[in-house]
Amino acid sequence: QAWRHPSNIFALLGPRAPDDEVAGDEDAARRRNCAWEPAVPCSHYQSYLSLYDADDDAQRALYRASQGKCAPSIILPGTEKGASTYVWNLIAQHPLVLPPLRGKAFKETGVYAKGGLVPPAYLDSLDAPAPALNPNPNPDPAPRSTREELAEHRDAFARVVHAFPLIAAGEPFVTADGTVTYMMTKGAPVQLARDQPALKVIFALRDPVERAHSEYRFLFSAYEGKGKKKSFDAILSKGVQLWWDCLKEVPAFAPPPPQERESTIAVVLDFPDKGLHNVRLSLDLLTDIFFDKGDTYPAACRAAVGAKKVSRGLYAPQVWHWMRRFGRDNVKVVTLEEIKDRPAPEVMNELYDFLGLCRGSGVVTADDDGEEGLVLPQAHNRIKNRSPQQTLPSEYEMSSGVFEALHELFAPMNEMLFELVEQEFPYGAAHFRDKYGFSIP
């Protein structure tokens, strides 16, 4: 990894394109600029404590550290078993992307998912889209938060500040975090919106049933030998039923007032056998249900969200939770189905363009023959996190009935996602029946 050391970075950067090449050439203009300054300006970590006038030396030191480092500008919040590790590796091998200082494979720090990072009063008040950055960078919420909550926040905030490398304002580097549990964490985008309002967010997704099946196989050693109650069918069927029980409650929920509605996206749930007759479910309401941690919605819904092997596949509310804070232009969705057959350099270039990082001919590297190359070294399999390919025992494997039941639940949720990202993906039972040898019911 010596080539990644900051002292070697500038030896890897391609020369600026001459003026005569830049004129009228968008690609040359990008090569000229992208390697020399990050597209996302430096933004410092923002605490909910008035650290700058604190009497405690440790708090003052923490404040100085938080204001001397640029916060992460790239987040890959999920999904689990959605090719997030592959996408992370493509991003992380760029010479200007510095990995975190800690965490699983120097990819997943988990620090923005720590309980107490966002005091409850602020978590509730920022449940709507994040407003413009607070003009007071260090507001003191003491009148609204207990001393214990602030102490918990201080400890969690310290973990955030110290999890990432020192990047000073004006340096061309950026840092990132690929913790896949952020996708389901209510407070992660709340704190990140304060630390870096112009954050770039990339979701790596796949068909939700395929994702659940891959996760089960990945964790199979925890279920093996424990009988049918730990089979794929038993675990996932329970989650599906919990979600239908929750959705049956939707007609009783009062819709948000028009002035509080953020999205016009909605689907009609018409499943008479499930007790749902032309019930309108809005994306706003589903998002509120998904991230509700209190008593606003029935216990059936909290139990449904807790069935994580199913809930992780409800992508629309999770993507919307981030998109409404950072804006559509700062959120990108890639899918395993979309990228698995594409050459890695092509996917890399697309990601780098979105992130404002130099790509291709903007970075000079050597290929295997020692010749000057046009793409970064292909090391994207460095971190391996693939599900085992072994065949599961028949009593643990997914049946055609549960396969269809899962796709039935996910179908309207996928429609929300497609409308939200303005793109359709090859999700649904028709795309995967042949893989398992299932016939049309």
Side-chain angles (χ1 to χ4, degrees):
Q1 295 289 339
W3 69 275
R4 286 179 56 84
H5 190 276
S7 65
N8 295 334
I9 292 296
F10 291 99
L12 295 170
L13 297 180
R16 291 176 182 267
D19 289 340
D20 57 350
E21 288 186 18
V22 172
D25 187 335
E26 182 179 343
D27 184 64
R30 186 190 67 249
R31 295 200 311 272
R32 176 172 183 164
N33 298 320
C34 66
W36 300 94
E37 58 184 69
V40 176
C42 176
S43 179
H44 301 299
Y45 301 92
Q46 301 296 336
S47 173
Y48 291 86
L49 289 167
S50 296
L51 297 174
Y52 57 88
D53 59 3
D55 294 330
D56 184 271
D57 288 341
Q59 288 195 28
R60 285 199 296 269
L62 178 58
Y63 172 71
R64 289 194 296 271
S66 70
Q67 297 306 291
K69 302 171 69 173
C70 299
S73 58
I74 302 169
I75 295 290
L76 206 167
T79 183
E80 293 186 46
K81 311 314 298 175
S84 62
T85 300
Y86 173 76
V87 174
W88 169 265
N89 286 333
L90 296 182
I91 295 170
Q93 65 180 288
H94 193 286
L96 297 184
V97 177
L98 304 184
L101 300 177
R102 61 193 63 179
K104 178 183 176 183
F106 298 100
K107 166 183 179 272
E108 303 185 34
T109 70
V111 290
Y112 281 99
K114 296 295 183 182
L117 179 60
V118 181
Y122 277 74
L123 184 63
D124 293 339
S125 65
L126 290 179
D127 215 12
L133 192 62
N134 194 313
N136 175 6
N138 291 282
D140 188 350
R144 303 171 59 190
S145 301
T146 67
R147 184 179 299 274
E148 291 75 16
E149 289 170 349
L150 294 179
E152 189 176 11
H153 162 73
R154 180 190 60 195
D155 293 342
F157 182 70
R159 286 193 290 268
V160 168
V161 173
H162 297 307
F164 300 96
L166 172 59
I167 301 174
E171 292 186 332
F173 308 108
V174 295
T175 189
D177 191 339
T179 303
V180 292
T181 57
Y182 289 166
M183 194 165 171
M184 291 187 69
T185 304
K186 183 178 182 179
V190 177
Q191 179 66 47
L192 280 159
R194 293 176 55 79
D195 290 352
Q196 177 48 273
L199 188 75
K200 294 290 186 178
V201 183
I202 298 177
F203 290 95
L205 309 180
R206 72 190 297 185
D207 176 271
V209 179
E210 294 298 290
R211 191 220 65 79
H213 191 242
S214 178
E215 181 188 2
Y216 182 82
R217 287 191 295 112
F218 186 71
L219 300 174
F220 180 63
S221 61
Y223 308 126
E224 189 172 12
K226 296 183 179 179
K228 289 187 176 181
K229 67 179 180 179
K230 292 297 183 180
S231 68
F232 180 90
D233 280 8
I235 295 173
L236 276 293
S237 294
K238 180 179 179 181
V240 169
Q241 186 57 53
L242 286 170
W243 268 106
W244 287 125
D245 291 343
C246 170
L247 295 174
K248 283 190 290 188
E249 304 283 346
V250 167
F253 301 156
Q259 67 272 19
E260 295 182 11
R261 294 175 189 165
E262 304 165 47
S263 171
T264 60
I265 297 174
V267 293
V268 175
L269 304 177
D270 189 20
F271 298 91
D273 60 324
K274 309 291 193 265
L276 292 162
H277 300 270
N278 294 318
V279 173
R280 184 181 185 276
L281 175 64
S282 71
L283 178 56
D284 283 340
L285 178 56
L286 181 60
T287 305
D288 288 346
I289 292 171
F290 198 94
F291 290 101
D292 174 50
K293 301 299 182 183
D295 298 323
T296 307
Y297 298 103
C301 291
R302 294 194 295 279
V305 176
K308 292 185 177 180
K309 283 185 172 52
V310 175
S311 298
R312 287 190 184 103
L314 274 66
Y315 300 139
Q318 299 175 76
V319 173
W320 178 232
H321 187 53
W322 290 73
M323 187 179 286
R324 64 183 181 175
R325 293 183 178 279
F326 299 104
R328 186 178 300 277
D329 291 343
N330 287 329
V331 176
K332 183 176 180 61
V333 173
V334 297
T335 72
L336 175 63
E337 294 80 7
E338 174 192 21
I339 66 176
K340 65 180 181 180
D341 296 324
R342 294 171 60 192
E346 181 181 311
V347 179
M348 291 167 70
N349 286 343
E350 181 180 314
L351 294 172
Y352 294 163
D353 286 350
F354 169 72
L355 297 172
L357 296 171
C358 202
R359 66 152 169 164
S361 54
V363 176
V364 177
T365 60
D367 62 18
D368 293 338
D369 298 322
E371 298 294 331
E372 184 175 282
L374 298 182
V375 296
L376 293 170
Q378 298 304 296
H380 51 273
N381 288 324
R382 185 171 64 253
I383 303 173
K384 295 184 179 180
N385 193 32
R386 298 174 180 172
S387 297
Q389 298 301 311
Q390 85 274 17
T391 301
L392 298 180
S394 58
E395 64 267 28
Y396 292 94
E397 189 51 280
M398 176 170 59
S399 68
S400 61
V402 171
F403 171 87
E404 297 293 342
L406 284 164
H407 279 292
E408 182 181 34
L409 173 67
F410 285 131
M413 310 305 174
N414 290 340
E415 290 179 21
M416 281 189 176
L417 175 69
F418 301 159
E419 187 173 352
L420 178 63
V421 302
E422 299 177 343
Q423 182 180 357
E424 290 194 15
F425 305 124
Y427 293 173
H431 295 281
F432 296 97
R433 285 194 186 98
D434 289 345
K435 173 181 176 180
Y436 298 100
F438 297 151
S439 58
I440 300 175

